[in-house]
Amino acid sequence: GEDVEQSLFLSVREGDSSVINCTYTDSSSTYLYWYKQEPGAGLQLLTYIFSNMDMKQDQRLTVLLNKKDKHLSLRIADTQTGDSAIYFCALYNQGGKLIFGQGTELSVKP
Amino acid sequence: KAGVTQTPRYLIKTRGQQVTLSCSPISGHRSVSWYQQTPGQGLQFLFEYFSETQRNKGNFPGRFSGRQFSNSRSEMNVSTLELGDSALYLCASSQAPSGEQYFGPGTRLTVT
């Protein structure tokens, strides 16, 4: 079945880069997403990448996709305390639904 | 453009009762999906509607149902509530089923 795995925690210093990783099993996914969730809030769509792309850059965010290794990453440059949140990677599969990872809690220390 | 809205934001119900949650998608979006988020199970897909038709359904019991109206607004209903139904219920809308999905703030349901 489909599975999406993320590490649970990441701690960085303000100003450093953060890299959040995600591995998946279903290679038929068409869209791969990154969402951000702050406490008590819904999911905010940060960025996404099509399965036929290798990289996408959007301001401080860079998404890398390695289809061979089924690995997706999100790099946040110049991480700020406001970036502290839980980050979810999600894949839209052929079955017409988003499959989410467990979420990575990013803690940014001043 | 207004985002996805969900009402109510918070609900407290008793076991055995039923509940109806509402979702208004972004204007122009015709696809609505529902997800349940719990600390133990994470984010799980409930169902997806497009043009008033249910296209996909997740692995939830028949107590969970939904519908979509001609204006694309959607409701989900949970009957005979159980303690384990306590969760954040999130609605997402997109222009088409495979498009970018934008989430609402969620409805926090507590079953006592």
Side-chain angles (χ1 to χ4, degrees):
Chain A
E2 308 125 341
D3 197 22
V4 180
E5 297 284 336
Q6 296 179 242
S7 52
L8 296 181
F9 300 100
L10 176 66
S11 181
V12 300
R13 290 268 178 214
E14 193 173 22
D16 288 349
S17 290
S18 307
V19 179
I20 302 171
N21 294 300
C22 172
T23 57
Y24 58 94
T25 56
D26 183 2
S27 58
S28 66
S29 301
T30 51
Y31 287 72
L32 299 98
Y33 296 90
W34 284 102
Y35 285 92
K36 175 184 179 183
Q37 187 175 37
E38 296 181 85
L43 299 174
Q44 175 193 351
L45 177 61
L46 286 177
T47 187
Y48 62 93
I49 189 167
F50 295 110
S51 57
N52 63 357
M53 296 169 66
D54 297 325
M55 186 184 92
K56 180 179 180 181
Q57 188 150 0
D58 187 356
Q59 298 183 332
R60 292 192 298 125
L61 306 178
T62 303
V63 179
L64 294 178
L65 175 61
N66 182 327
K67 289 183 286 291
K68 175 175 169 292
D69 294 338
K70 297 181 184 175
H71 182 265
L72 181 72
S73 68
L74 172 70
R75 178 177 178 269
I76 305 173
D78 187 25
T79 313
Q80 303 297 306
T81 54
D83 294 323
S84 292
I86 299 177
Y87 291 80
F88 292 92
C89 99
L91 280 58
Y92 187 83
N93 73 356
Q94 303 282 13
K97 61 183 179 181
L98 285 174
I99 308 296
F100 286 88
Q102 313 95 305
T104 298
E105 183 175 347
L106 174 64
S107 174
V108 183
K109 300 192 184 316
Chain B
K1 191 185 270 193
V4 179
T5 57
Q6 293 187 244
T7 56
R9 292 293 312 278
Y10 303 92
L11 263 180
I12 299 175
K13 290 286 188 179
T14 304
R15 263 184 307 175
Q17 289 186 315
Q18 75 163 18
V19 67
T20 299
L21 312 182
S22 180
C23 171
S24 292
I26 292 170
S27 177
H29 285 195
R30 294 167 60 199
S31 178
V32 173
S33 299
W34 289 88
Y35 293 82
Q36 182 196 64
Q37 185 178 28
T38 60
Q41 299 298 316
L43 283 149
Q44 294 187 288
F45 172 77
L46 281 157
F47 22 66
E48 177 195 24
Y49 288 89
F50 178 70
S51 293
E52 301 178 67
T53 301
Q54 185 181 91
R55 291 185 73 244
N56 293 293
K57 191 176 191 306
N59 294 326
F60 279 82
R63 300 185 296 107
F64 291 80
S65 63
R67 58 179 175 167
Q68 186 181 34
F69 301 96
S70 58
N71 61 357
S72 296
R73 190 177 71 84
S74 177
E75 287 181 347
M76 67 163 279
N77 185 275
V78 187
S79 63
T80 320
L81 284 165
E82 301 177 0
L83 294 179
D85 297 333
S86 294
L88 180 66
Y89 290 87
L90 293 161
C91 162
S93 80
S94 58
Q95 288 186 319
S98 62
E100 302 152 43
Q101 300 210 14
Y102 295 88
F103 282 79
T107 294
R108 172 76 62 186
L109 172 64
T110 302
V111 182
T112 62

